[in-house]
Amino acid sequence: MDRRNFTGKMSLVIMAGILGTDIVFGHSLPKDYLPLGLQDTDPFKLFKKDRQMVILNDKPWNIEAKAHLLNDKITPNEFMFIRNNGKIPQKIDAANWTLTIDGESVREKKIYSLKDLKTKFQQYTYQLTLECGGNGRSEFNPPAKGNQWTVGAVSCANWTGIRLRDMLNDIGYKSDAVYIGYHAADTHLSGDPTKEPISRGVPISKALQEETLLAFQMNGEDIPLAHGYPLRLVCGGWPASASGKWINRLSIRNEVHDGAKMGGSSYRVPCETVAPGAKVENSSMCIIESMPVKSLITTPKSGALIKMGNTLHIEGHAWAGELTVSKMEYSIDFGSTWQKCTLEKPINRLAWQHFKTSISFPKKGYYEVWARATDQNGKSQPMVLPGWNPKGYLNNACHRIAIKVV
Ligand SMILES: Nc1nc2c(c(=O)[nH]1)N[C@H]1C(S)=C(S)[C@@H](COP(=O)(O)O)O[C@H]1N2
Ligand SMILES: [Mo]
C-alpha cells in the first residue's frame, strides 16, 4: 500500500483506533507521516520464522518453506509454513476462550471452556503431517489461481491436545451425525463480520480417529499465534484446510458441512480426470480427503556440488495421507532406473517417514536426483504432473534436486 495516500486518508481517530490508544501529541504529527506503530512489522520476527522462508502473500499472510529447511524430523515453528485465508485474530483471550458445540446432530448444545477441555480429558501427543491441498500448485499449466506454493507447504510437528472423539462422546451426538464443521476467530479480508474466511471439517469417521485432536500445544509449547493459538483442530493426513485454527465453535452436522470453502472448486477436484483447462461443473467436483503419496528430499539443498569419487548422502521424508509409505526409491537417470532408499516406519500413524541413502555417480557432470515414494497399496508418485484441476491441488509429482559432480 502506498504509505502517503494511506496516511493522507486516515484520520487521527482511525489511527488511534488501530493503535488501541490515543496519539497524545497527534495534532503535531507531520502531514502524511505514518506512525511507526502502524508500519508493517517484520514478518520473520513477528512469526518467529527463519529468514530463508518465502513470503507468497502478506494479505493474508502465506509463507512457505524451501525443501532443505524441512530437514528436521519434527518440524520446528521457524520452518513451518503459514497458510491463512483471512486475518489472524488480534486479541486472543485464552483465559476466557470457549468452544461451543452445536449443530443438528448434537444431543444438547454445550459450551466448554478451554480450561474444561484441558482438565476434563486425557491428553495425547502425536506427530501429524499437515500439507496444504495446494502445495505444488505453481507447476500446473494452465496456471491455477491462488498462492503459488512450490514444495514447502507441508509440516510434521508434534501436536498435544485431547482426542476430539473423547469430547464428542462426552457431549453425545445423534446417530444421524455425518460431518463436523469448524468455526474460528479469524476475520474475512473484506472486514465483513458476517463472512467467515474459511469453515471446513471432516466426516464423522475421521473426527472419531484416535489421532484427530483438539490441540493446544505444538512442539511442547502453546501453539504459536499464526498456527491457531489457543485451540486448533488437527486432522493429520488430510488437506491441512480441514485443521481449523483459532476454533471457537464446532458443529456436529447431519449433512456434509457447508461452511465457507466447502463448495465450488475450493479444496475439491474433478471426480473424474479432466483435460487441462477444462471447465468443470460444481456437481462433478469431489471433496479432497486423504492426501496422496508424496516425498521431499531435504538434504542436500538442490544445486549441491560433490567431488568425483565421493558418495552423496541424501535424506528426506515421505508421507501418504491415511496410508503408510512402503517403499522409497531414487533415480539419477531421469527415471529410467530406480534404487531403493532406507525407509523408517512412522513414529505414529499419520506422521511422515524418514528416508536416506548414499549415492555414487559414474562420472563427472550434471545429474538430477529424483525421489519416488510408493504407498502401502502400491501407488507411486507420478514422475510428471498429475491430473490438472481448476485450483491446482494435489500435485504429488516426484521431487528432484540438481547435483554437479566435479
Ligand atoms: N481458522 C482458520 N483455519 C485454517 C485456515 C484459515 O485460514 N483459518 N487455513 C487452513 C489451511 S488452507 C491450511 S493449509 C492450514 C495451514 O496451517 P498452518 O498455517 O498452521 O501451517 O490451516 C488451515 N486452517
Ligand atoms: Mo491449505
Side-chain angles (χ1 to χ4, degrees):
M1 183 183 293
D2 180 61
R3 280 195 175 142
R4 291 195 53 198
N5 283 335
F6 182 61
T7 34
K9 282 193 215 115
M10 231 192 328
S11 73
L12 271 180
V13 179
I14 292 176
M15 287 198 268
I18 299 173
L19 289 168
T21 185
D22 278 346
I23 303 176
V24 176
F25 294 109
H27 59 275
S28 311
L29 267 187
K31 191 170 177 291
D32 293 340
Y33 177 81
L34 184 69
L36 293 175
L38 292 178
Q39 291 183 15
D40 288 343
T41 36
D42 176 348
F44 300 101
K45 264 197 204 153
L46 182 66
F47 300 123
K48 298 199 173 70
K49 297 293 170 189
D50 185 272
R51 289 199 173 267
Q52 298 171 80
M53 296 286 283
V54 182
I55 296 175
L56 300 182
N57 194 348
D58 62 353
K59 289 180 187 70
W61 286 111
N62 281 280
I63 300 177
E64 80 166 329
K66 291 179 182 167
H68 71 278
L69 300 178
L70 291 169
N71 196 50
D72 296 271
K73 291 191 166 180
I74 302 170
T75 313
N77 176 58
E78 60 186 314
F79 301 131
M80 180 180 278
F81 77 99
I82 297 179
R83 196 288 186 248
N84 292 325
N85 289 265
K87 291 187 229 171
I88 297 178
Q90 288 305 309
K91 287 185 190 126
I92 301 239
D93 181 2
N96 295 306
W97 194 267
T98 56
L99 181 69
T100 301
I101 314 298
D102 62 6
E104 306 88 355
S105 301
V106 74
R107 211 177 49 198
E108 212 176 310
K109 184 177 156 176
K110 183 166 174 171
I111 299 175
Y112 290 97
S113 68
L114 182 57
K115 209 175 134 217
D116 287 342
L117 295 175
K118 285 183 177 173
T119 51
K120 222 179 144 166
F121 302 99
Q122 177 157 0
Q123 299 185 11
Y124 299 86
T125 299
Y126 298 107
Q127 215 191 313
L128 298 166
T129 310
L130 291 183
E131 181 180 18
C132 178
N135 196 21
R137 173 178 292 140
S138 62
E139 287 187 83
F140 281 101
N141 203 0
K145 282 200 193 113
N147 290 291
Q148 295 300 300
W149 305 107
T150 63
V151 296
V154 60
S155 67
C156 194
N158 263 318
W159 295 94
T160 301
I162 63 165
R163 285 183 175 148
L164 176 58
R165 77 169 183 202
D166 290 348
M167 193 273 287
L168 290 173
N169 288 335
D170 180 63
I171 190 166
Y173 53 91
K174 299 179 194 158
S175 58
D176 66 352
V178 294
Y179 231 86
I180 56 126
Y182 67 76
H183 300 274
D186 48 342
T187 49
H188 198 268
L189 287 177
S190 65
D192 181 345
T194 64
K195 282 191 186 159
E196 293 180 287
I198 188 168
S199 166
R200 306 196 69 247
V202 290
I204 200 84
S205 54
K206 176 68 177 167
L208 294 175
Q209 280 184 0
E210 272 180 21
E211 302 82 3
T212 300
L213 297 180
L214 284 173
F216 28 78
Q217 284 201 326
M218 187 183 103
N219 295 338
E221 291 173 3
D222 282 348
I223 300 175
L225 174 63
H227 297 292
Y229 177 79
L231 187 64
R232 165 171 211 174
L233 184 63
V234 188
C235 305
W238 284 45
S241 52
S243 294
K245 307 192 273 190
W246 316 290
I247 63 166
N248 51 25
R249 182 156 72 92
L250 204 67
S251 302
I252 310 178
R253 308 293 315 266
N254 64 3
E255 56 178 5
V256 174
H257 183 56
D258 53 358
K261 308 221 166 160
M262 282 299 294
S265 53
S266 294
Y267 307 102
R268 303 204 310 168
V269 291
C271 306
E272 307 292 339
T273 314
V274 300
K279 240 191 118 49
V280 190
E281 295 293 325
N282 268 346
S283 57
S284 307
M285 298 284 275
C286 286
I287 298 173
I288 302 169
E289 300 201 326
S290 176
M291 293 292 284
V293 62
K294 197 162 169 179
S295 61
L296 202 55
I297 304 166
T298 57
T299 291
K301 190 174 168 175
S302 185
L305 297 180
I306 66 156
K307 275 227 164 70
M308 184 59 211
N310 288 356
T311 56
L312 176 74
H313 170 76
I314 66 161
E315 58 185 65
H317 319 289
W319 61 96
E322 288 281 322
L323 304 176
T324 50
V325 177
S326 56
K327 189 167 66 174
M328 189 67 216
E329 298 163 294
Y330 74 90
S331 173
I332 59 166
D333 54 12
F334 303 104
S336 303
T337 61
W338 294 87
Q339 276 75 42
K340 270 195 176 175
C341 301
T342 310
L343 176 67
E344 288 178 26
K345 291 201 160 55
I347 191 112
N348 53 250
R349 219 177 72 78
L350 311 180
W352 64 19
Q353 295 167 242
H354 316 296
F355 67 85
K356 61 181 177 196
T357 199
S358 290
I359 305 178
S360 308
F361 296 91
K363 55 195 238 181
K364 289 183 184 174
Y366 173 87
Y367 295 87
E368 287 184 11
V369 178
W370 292 10
R372 180 171 75 179
T374 302
D375 70 27
Q376 68 192 67
N377 293 342
K379 226 180 189 177
S380 300
Q381 290 182 256
M383 281 190 270
V384 293
L385 268 187
W388 181 91
N389 60 87
K391 279 279 181 76
Y393 295 121
L394 306 184
N395 175 4
N396 67 334
C398 290
H399 182 226
R400 35 202 93 185
I401 57 169
I403 298 293
K404 225 168 162 183
V405 179
V406 291

